[in-house]
Amino acid sequence: MGIYWNLLQTPGVARIIAAQLTARFPFGMLSLAFLIHIEQVYDSYGAAGLVLGAMSIGQAIAGPLTSRLMGRWGMRPVISLTIAICATSIVLMAVIPMPIISLMLVGFVAGISMPPIQPAVRTIYPKLVNSKQLTPLFSLDASAQEIIWVLGPVVATFVAIQVSSVAGILLAATFLVGGGIWFLVLPEVGRVRIPRSKRKLGAVLKRPAVLLSTVVGFMLVAACASVEAGVVATFGHGSTDSGWVLAVFAAGSLVGGLAFGHMQIGPWALAGRMLIPTIGIGLASVFLNFWWLSATLFVAGIGIAPALAVLFGIVSASVKFSDTAEAYGWVGTGQLIGAALGSAIAGFSIDHYGPTSAILAAAGFAALGCLIPALGRRWHPDLRGRDASPIPDTEPVAVVS
């Protein structure tokens, strides 16, 4: 734990982690808050699914686009503009009655204007710490973000039920604006300037490590989404057991990130870390009771934050600094699509074959996330004893002859 304590004592690290977690906290609230709100207003989970789907599509498209714009316009202008548009869209969806098609359109606007906080902060990290501290910092970030997924749904549900669904959405918008402003005023954000990329949009995916991270991130998040659907279906919406089990799942990830995230990254690192969720989720499908699911999903969670830390680390070490934001945008898009597809497949499986099938589907996604980096290990950077910082951007220098 000493290495993480030293990291938090590094100037700027603690405050930028806290600010970006606050700004991103709504991501753990909005899906559930809108689900409750739209179901209450329109008496239809299907309508809620359409709106959330439109929002997810917008987010998936936005990932690489808004990230790349930060290299042209700067971090602060892009993040300020997206916060204003996104927060306005969210508030309009909460307070103005409108037909479902209009909600879908506004939801799409909210999704495509989600502030690129995550790509921004992971572009800033290499400028805050030395090369030996970068991998542990990525691990600390991956572990800390579990707070979003543990507390976010709890806060959203409590406010929506105890106060109103509109209040839950407005609280999420408040976190978005307040946390976003906090992040923007930090001096570290102003000191980092992303050089304008000279490559075409999407060219960064030709980097094998970026493509590998995007695909494996897709599989990992699809597995997590399937697990969530399977657990909720097992205990039903009226039981708090599902919330506790999923909290234990996230706690396993937090523990794993802090315990193993500082380990060096070799060619087998991603496959090895993905093996842990594969085994844990596979065992979870054997018995669907509270204690068994809690124990096995805690084990499964131990590999999640370390796997995410590897994804971020190999991307950072494989691209030029000017391409890092776009690369992380693509990785985020892969994860968003994974969440949508994982939930959809799990929902279909539950309707036709029961909750166990969703857990088995999750194990299948995790197994693919383990197999792909094992087969593609020659494209996996070996960062043992190497600098995980991005490749410096170089330009021709004029010489007087």
Side-chain angles (χ1 to χ4, degrees):
M1 295 296 291
I3 190 170
Y4 300 113
W5 178 247
N6 291 334
L7 272 174
L8 292 174
Q9 290 181 314
T10 302
V13 169
R15 64 189 175 208
I16 204 163
I17 288 178
Q20 63 101 0
L21 284 178
T22 304
R24 292 171 53 212
F25 194 73
F27 297 173
M29 297 178 62
L30 283 173
S31 293
L32 195 53
F34 273 121
L35 179 70
I36 295 171
H37 176 69
I38 295 171
E39 193 279 329
Q40 287 180 351
V41 174
Y42 298 93
D43 194 26
S44 171
Y45 282 107
L50 289 173
V51 174
L52 293 174
M55 189 179 292
S56 296
I57 292 171
Q59 285 182 268
I61 295 172
L65 292 177
T66 53
S67 300
R68 190 178 178 90
L69 283 175
M70 289 192 293
R72 294 189 177 188
W73 300 348
M75 287 188 190
R76 281 174 169 159
V78 172
I79 294 175
S80 300
L81 179 62
T82 51
I83 285 174
I85 296 173
C86 185
T88 301
S89 301
I90 289 170
V91 171
L92 289 176
M93 294 171 71
V95 302
I96 298 180
M98 59 182 82
I100 293 299
I101 187 65
S102 299
L103 272 178
M104 291 175 64
L105 291 173
V106 179
F108 177 81
V109 173
I112 205 168
S113 60
M114 281 288 178
I117 302 288
Q118 192 174 44
V121 77
R122 285 173 186 152
T123 301
I124 294 170
Y125 282 159
K127 302 298 182 182
L128 290 181
V129 298
N130 61 46
S131 58
K132 292 182 179 179
Q133 293 176 304
L134 190 54
T135 297
L137 179 54
F138 281 135
S139 178
L140 180 62
D141 177 88
S143 301
Q145 74 176 0
E146 293 300 338
I147 296 170
I148 296 171
W149 309 113
V150 173
L151 294 182
V154 174
V155 172
T157 303
F158 178 82
V159 175
I161 293 175
Q162 298 298 323
V163 185
S164 72
S165 58
V166 172
I169 297 170
L170 295 180
L171 179 62
T174 302
F175 274 114
L176 178 65
V177 174
I181 292 172
W182 182 16
F183 181 77
L184 288 170
V185 300
L186 294 179
E188 291 77 18
V189 177
R191 286 199 292 262
V192 176
R193 178 72 174 89
I194 304 173
R196 184 169 178 170
S197 177
K198 298 185 175 88
R199 296 154 65 88
K200 293 181 178 179
L201 179 67
V204 72
L205 287 173
K206 293 181 181 179
R207 294 277 187 178
V210 177
L211 185 59
L212 182 67
S213 296
T214 302
V215 173
V216 175
F218 168 94
M219 295 298 175
L220 176 57
V221 176
C224 293
S226 297
V227 164
E228 182 176 343
V231 169
V232 170
T234 297
F235 297 105
H237 292 282
S239 172
T240 60
D241 286 352
S242 57
W244 287 110
V245 170
L246 292 175
V248 169
F249 187 32
S253 178
L254 177 62
V255 170
L258 296 177
F260 306 113
H262 63 281
M263 295 174 62
Q264 293 197 47
I265 297 174
W268 288 96
L270 193 50
R273 286 156 174 79
M274 285 299 299
L275 182 62
I276 300 172
T278 302
I279 292 172
I281 296 172
L283 289 173
S285 66
V286 177
F287 303 108
L288 298 190
N289 64 64
F290 178 85
W291 294 110
W292 179 257
L293 284 173
S294 297
T296 53
L297 290 181
F298 180 84
V299 172
I302 288 173
I304 292 174
L308 289 171
V310 174
L311 295 182
F312 306 147
I314 64 176
V315 167
S316 175
S318 302
V319 299
K320 290 185 176 182
F321 182 65
S322 59
D323 291 325
T324 51
E326 183 188 340
Y328 287 126
W330 283 110
V331 173
T333 290
Q335 293 175 1
L336 284 166
I337 297 172
L341 187 62
S343 297
I345 290 177
F348 177 84
S349 300
I350 291 166
D351 286 343
H352 289 79
Y353 307 107
T356 302
S357 63
I359 307 295
L360 290 172
F365 280 124
L368 285 173
C370 177
L371 181 63
I372 290 169
L375 295 176
R377 63 187 179 278
R378 63 175 177 164
W379 297 301
H380 188 300
D382 187 352
L383 302 184
R384 291 173 296 184
R386 277 185 51 197
D387 188 347
S389 300
I391 302 168
D393 287 270
T394 56
E395 295 180 350
V397 178
V399 178
V400 177
S401 57

